[in-house]
Amino acid sequence: LNTIKITDEAERRRKLVDLVDDLPSAHRDTLKHLCTHLARVASHCEVNKMDVQNLSKVFGPNVMRPVDFGLNGFTEIGMVNLIIEELIVCAIDNLEDPSMWDIRKEVVAAQAAVRST
């Protein structure tokens, strides 16, 4: 949650991407696919009314639920929504150049490894 407080946008985004990359591969890949899908949904917001902020409000609490929803729970949910919003924006920025989010090579390599055993 401290990462979202970084004021420099490039540094904040780089730190978030680093944190995502540090997740276990199944969690990382799922989050990247989800954010890419949400970026595509947001690209049609003029029709579906689901812009990045609305998507982050819907998906944020489900993706990153606070462990202890005490007195600070609502503040934490707001920060969680900002994190998910930033990840969706990152995915939007990479729809044209998906190298940051591209896991297809890893999936193909993993499938090939399974087939060869």
Side-chain angles (χ1 to χ4, degrees):
L1 292 177
N2 290 329
T3 302
I4 201 63
K5 297 176 185 176
I6 299 172
T7 55
D8 180 74
E9 182 179 336
E11 182 182 345
R12 180 178 60 243
R13 187 171 292 178
R14 192 170 29 260
K15 179 66 174 167
L16 281 172
V17 169
D18 288 345
L19 289 171
V20 170
D21 286 341
D22 288 343
L23 290 171
S25 61
H27 298 263
R28 179 193 66 229
D29 296 349
T30 301
L31 183 59
K32 287 181 178 184
H33 278 296
L34 176 64
C35 289
T36 301
H37 171 70
L38 294 177
R40 289 187 183 110
V41 172
S43 72
H44 301 286
C45 67
E46 65 282 344
V47 175
N48 62 26
K49 309 297 185 217
M50 293 304 288
D51 60 13
V52 173
Q53 291 80 20
N54 287 340
L55 290 166
S56 68
K57 288 175 188 172
V58 171
F59 285 90
N62 294 298
V63 173
M64 293 181 61
R65 186 174 317 218
V67 175
D68 181 24
F69 195 84
L71 294 175
N72 295 325
F74 290 108
T75 303
E76 288 181 12
I77 289 294
M79 290 173 40
V80 161
N81 293 348
L82 289 173
I83 291 169
I84 297 300
E85 183 177 326
E86 188 74 25
L87 290 173
I88 295 170
V89 168
C90 187
I92 289 171
D93 292 346
N94 289 289
L95 283 176
E96 298 299 319
D97 177 20
S99 59
M100 185 190 309
W101 294 95
D102 191 15
I103 60 170
R104 280 173 259 172
K105 293 177 201 165
E106 295 174 28
V107 171
V108 169
Q111 288 174 343
V114 168
R115 286 188 199 125
S116 68
T117 56

